[in-house]
Amino acid sequence: MPRITVLDLQKFKTQRHRFSMLTAYDHWTARLLEQAGIEVLLVGDSLGMVMHGHESTLPVTMDMMVAHAQAVARGTEHALVVADMPFLSYQVSVEDALRNGGRLLQQGGAGAVKLEGGRAVAPQIAALTAAGIPVMGHLGLTPQSVHQLGGYRVQGKTATDARRILDEARTLQDAGVFALVLECVPRAVAERITAALSIPTIGIGAGPHCDGQVLVTHDMLGLVGGPRPRHVKIYAPLGDAVTEAVRRYREEVAAGVFPGEAESFGSSPEVAAAL
């Protein structure tokens, strides 16, 4: 099976094939997700929170993104690997965007990059695509702007905001994005944008009408504690399973049950006699 490309995502929209994207930050997770048939793996800057324990995505650096992208790329053969461009890696100038976007492809092994924002980053998107770097857009709740947005809030709840997101979606399409993530917007807004664009939309908290869906893998596997966001569905409570397995291991070590005969290596009579 050949590797999925940005052109395949366009075909998926035309064929009304709903595709899935999940986050991956390491080699073994990438392998497991690809084996399950996930078409797109996102090396999200959410790794700052999920893997590094930060309160937001803002502390994530290019070096962090490149290292995680390398691990994910080495774990895949077929999935399209998309890497997030972290905060301030593209906003300051077109030159920064080209340098850092190129790094994620050349050093990180990604097949495309994703960046947040609307009209303000259209020049960067146009320059990246002109340089041969495929770009995925991201509108609605944009975590890198969490302080400006006043927190992790649903966007597009008013008619004015909904029209603004639709207008910016068209602007990003014109600038050259091959797909667009819509995060935490009302389902009617996402449906309207999906119908208006020729590129595929990918929803996260945006209802069922997008062309694809994305979740943070650690969320959908129940590996993250705390309150569950409304848009997250837990498909397997693996966090509880891991805690229980580790508890049993600790108890068996304390009781002298592990390692047992099955986990121990024997020796020949000659060796035993020599001791």
Side-chain angles (χ1 to χ4, degrees):
M1 176 181 175
R3 187 176 290 276
I4 291 172
T5 70
V6 298
L7 296 181
D8 290 317
L9 297 195
Q10 182 62 63
K11 292 177 184 176
F12 291 163
K13 182 180 180 83
T14 303
Q15 297 166 355
R16 300 185 180 230
H17 166 71
R18 296 179 183 272
F19 60 91
S20 301
M21 180 164 77
L22 284 173
T23 58
Y25 314 118
D26 58 77
H27 179 267
W28 76 265
T29 301
R31 289 187 63 185
L32 290 174
L33 299 184
E34 183 173 84
Q35 288 171 13
I38 297 299
E39 292 95 340
V40 187
L41 298 182
L42 173 64
V43 188
D45 59 359
S46 51
L47 63 86
M49 304 165 76
V50 174
M51 303 297 288
H52 294 268
H54 294 297
E55 292 185 355
S56 72
T57 63
L58 299 183
V60 175
T61 66
M62 275 298 302
D63 286 344
M64 291 164 65
M65 290 304 307
V66 168
H68 284 276
Q70 288 172 338
V72 170
R74 286 193 292 264
T76 66
E77 295 180 3
H78 309 303
L80 172 63
V81 177
V82 180
D84 266 339
M85 297 191 68
F87 183 59
L88 292 185
S89 68
Y90 60 94
Q91 291 96 332
V92 175
S93 68
V94 168
E95 290 74 20
D96 278 354
L98 287 170
R99 183 183 312 108
N100 291 317
R103 244 190 107 187
L104 287 171
L105 267 64
Q106 187 177 53
Q107 298 176 20
V113 301
K114 181 172 76 64
L115 55 78
E116 299 177 8
R119 189 169 290 104
V121 295
Q124 287 91 322
I125 292 170
L128 285 164
T129 56
I133 302 171
V135 180
M136 178 181 287
H138 187 152
L139 291 174
L141 170 57
T142 47
Q144 291 178 14
S145 303
V146 61
H147 296 308
Q148 185 179 38
L149 297 175
Y152 297 98
R153 303 171 180 270
V154 175
Q155 303 297 304
K157 296 177 71 174
T158 69
T160 299
D161 284 344
R163 283 193 296 269
R164 175 185 56 80
I165 295 173
L166 174 58
D167 290 343
E168 294 206 317
R170 287 176 169 140
T171 297
L172 294 189
Q173 178 174 261
D174 292 343
V177 298
F178 68 88
L180 178 64
V181 171
L182 297 172
E183 181 168 0
C184 290
V185 300
R187 58 191 293 170
V189 176
E191 182 178 16
R192 176 71 182 90
I193 293 172
T194 300
L197 300 183
S198 60
I199 58 172
T201 59
I202 304 170
I204 176 167
H209 301 294
C210 294
D211 300 297
Q213 297 291 332
V214 60
L215 283 174
V216 173
T217 298
H218 289 66
D219 285 342
M220 58 91 69
L221 293 180
L223 292 170
V224 178
R228 176 172 63 90
R230 177 174 176 174
H231 63 269
V232 172
K233 179 177 180 179
I234 297 178
Y235 285 82
L238 296 190
D240 294 339
V242 169
T243 300
E244 174 60 19
V246 173
R247 183 191 63 77
R248 288 173 49 211
Y249 163 73
R250 178 182 175 276
E251 289 177 350
E252 290 192 2
V253 169
V257 175
F258 178 85
E261 185 67 25
E263 297 84 27
S264 301
F265 299 97
S267 58
S268 67
E270 292 80 5
V271 172
L275 298 174

